Amino acid sequence: MSSVSTTAPPLNGERLGPLMRALVVIEKVGNKLPHPFWLFLGLAVIVMVLSSVLHAVGVSAVNPATEETVTAVNLLSMENLRSIVSGVVDNYTAFPALGLVLVVMFGVAVAERSGLIPTLMRGALVKTNPRYITVVVALVGAAGSMASDASYMIVIPLGGLAFRAVGRNPVIGCAVAYAATSGGYSAAPFVNSLDAILGGISTSAAHIIDESYTVTPVANLFFNFVSMFAVAIGVTLVTELLLNKRGQQMTIDADIQETEEDHRLSEITPEEKRGMVVAAIGLVISIGIVVALAWPANSFLRDAEGGFGPESGLMAGIAAIIGFGFWILGIMYGVAVKTIRKWDDVPEMMVKGLAPFIQVLVLFFAASQFLALFKMSSLGEILAIKGAELFQSMGASTFVILLGTYFLVAIAALFITSGSGLWTLLAPVLVPMLMLLGISPETTQAVYRIGDSTVNIISPMSPYFIMILGFIQRYKKDAGIGTLLSLTIPLSFGMFITWGILFFAWWATGIPFGPGAATSYSLGG
């Protein structure tokens, strides 16, 4: 691959030199890390050995929530080894994120494979006023997480086509779509598979301090919805103030200009419009049914006190409700546009839609064993208590703690680009530690999401980092990693700032991050 073109003096190779060298180091270090599956199994073994050593030297801590002394548990004792072997299957099947992500993805797979989600994305772009093309592409990209990883294959080429259709450089359009889709992966209008995964991992981590605590898939719903606009604002500002000039200086290949026939977004067909109308009607009816069922004071969707807390039927079953909603809407759309012609098509779509998540299910096995052993050893609780005591002795404010967490996650995300994998590593320490400092798991999870998401687009370890280069080279064959970094680094920085401002402003107001999700946590309830 060639280096970035020198036709744009402000972004010449000399200025990118130190940055490129830093990213090469990151790539080399990251490539030496084992596959997350082996990483978690290796960590599980390390936990077992470390627990034995720390137990022998009498390491302990006093839990301020219970006033009980917590001592390191020797996992290599005969009794504990027997429990470990017998608990392998239960550790996996009881892993909170496992069932949640499967149930949500059953529905999302049908909505995506039937064509509903791709059509909604294309429809949002096809009639867009050229003046607002950047913000609309950014919003569609941020909302693209509804289609999970398939959003990359849908939104990025649409972004290039949309920019070209209004006479702007399609390379910039691809970069905008990629930044919003990858960087804004945690910003979404609805609950998606990531919400289920992170919520399950956060719940397991919270149980180190509070066995009754549950982080639901909608724990960050309000914040995620508003975050779409923060991502779009950050991407739009950087694009219009900086990258648009870069696009004007960057020429695309003449042969592509002359021979490409699909330079305009295809119009939504009458059949697709009819399908979206049918799906919209289905959405209204579905919401009406849920409201009607939840309305009675003694509804099964309420809790024992008649509210909608974490233990209510609505919150406890929100993953199933949302998954079923996507499933119904996908079927209604598919039948209307004839992508679903027989009932057998539906389970086939569910199978195909789950295929990309097989690797996640394999990762969950190793992660569930690591988390179970970490909890069983009491090392997570001890580490969280000691960490909280350190911050208290330093007199660090909550703002400083959260800001430090924000930067810590961003640095770690350069090396580990799997959102679930990184959270599995960090959550068992960060969640309980911040709980002891009065910060709720939902708040910790929210700051993790933005620290992780905004850095993904510049990490050479991301599997989509090279994929986006392929889309860009469709318009500019000599584009290289330098070209890509010259576009994504400013976009990453813009999102990091705007999204960070939104988070701290939200946290300062005390507005819940989602239904029933407080920003603070009080020991003992």
Side-chain angles (χ1 to χ4, degrees), residues 63-65 201-215 384-385 387-389 391-392 398 401-402 405 423 427-445 518-525:
N63 188 331
I201 296 172
S202 298
T203 297
S204 296
H207 284 176
I208 293 175
I209 297 298
D210 187 344
E211 283 284 352
S212 65
Y213 207 98
T214 300
V215 181
I385 294 170
E389 290 175 350
F391 277 114
Q392 288 173 338
T398 304
I401 294 170
L402 289 174
T405 302
W423 190 226
V429 176
L430 289 181
V431 169
M433 181 175 71
L434 269 60
M435 286 175 73
L436 293 174
L437 294 171
I439 301 171
S440 72
E442 293 87 350
T443 301
T444 306
Q445 180 177 282
T519 58
S520 61
Y521 174 78
S522 176
L523 293 177

Side-chain angles (χ1 to χ4, degrees), residues 51-309:
S51 70
S52 178
V53 174
L54 296 181
H55 174 78
V57 298
V59 171
S60 64
V62 178
N63 188 331
T66 61
E67 299 298 331
E68 296 179 354
T69 299
V70 181
T71 304
V73 176
N74 179 14
L75 297 184
L76 295 181
S77 68
M78 289 300 168
E79 181 180 354
N80 286 326
L81 285 174
R82 189 178 299 111
S83 298
I84 291 171
V85 172
S86 62
V88 169
V89 174
D90 287 341
N91 292 341
Y92 185 48
T93 57
F95 191 48
L98 178 64
L100 291 174
V101 69
L102 286 175
V103 170
V104 172
M105 283 310 302
F106 283 148
V108 173
V110 175
E112 193 269 321
R113 292 280 170 170
S114 67
L116 174 58
I117 293 176
T119 302
L120 287 173
M121 293 179 180
R122 199 170 85 250
L125 292 172
V126 71
K127 294 292 186 180
T128 300
N129 187 314
R131 182 182 303 176
Y132 307 116
I133 191 65
T134 303
V135 69
V136 173
V137 169
L139 279 172
V140 171
S145 57
M146 293 186 299
S148 192
D149 286 1
S151 58
Y152 291 95
M153 302 303 296
I154 297 171
V155 182
I156 295 173
L158 285 181
L161 292 174
F163 266 60
R164 188 164 187 200
V166 299
R168 296 179 64 177
N169 194 315
V171 171
I172 305 300
C174 289
V176 167
Y178 171 59
T181 303
S182 182
Y185 200 76
S186 280
F190 305 110
V191 173
N192 56 36
S193 58
L194 184 63
D195 294 295
I197 293 173
L198 298 186
I201 296 172
S202 298
T203 297
S204 296
H207 284 176
I208 293 175
I209 297 298
D210 187 344
E211 283 284 352
S212 65
Y213 207 98
T214 300
V215 181
T216 69
V218 296
N220 295 145
L221 180 62
F222 302 155
F223 179 70
N224 291 348
F225 179 78
V226 178
S227 291
M228 284 195 310
F229 301 97
V231 168
I233 290 172
V235 169
T236 300
L237 288 175
V238 172
T239 302
E240 299 303 319
L241 296 177
L242 178 63
L243 297 188
N244 190 38
K245 297 177 182 178
R246 170 67 168 148
Q248 292 170 357
Q249 296 172 326
M250 181 190 299
T251 58
I252 61 175
D253 294 339
D255 58 333
I256 295 178
Q257 289 178 318
E258 294 171 357
T259 62
E260 186 181 328
E261 297 178 356
D262 59 342
H263 62 280
R264 289 193 177 277
L265 289 170
S266 58
E267 296 282 342
I268 303 298
T269 66
E271 189 175 50
E272 289 173 330
K273 290 180 180 178
R274 183 172 65 252
M276 288 196 292
V277 170
V278 170
I281 294 173
L283 177 62
V284 173
I285 293 175
S286 299
I287 293 176
I289 291 174
V290 173
V291 171
L293 291 174
W295 192 267
N298 61 347
S299 169
F300 65 91
L301 293 178
R302 297 175 180 264
D303 55 27
E305 287 72 35
F308 296 103

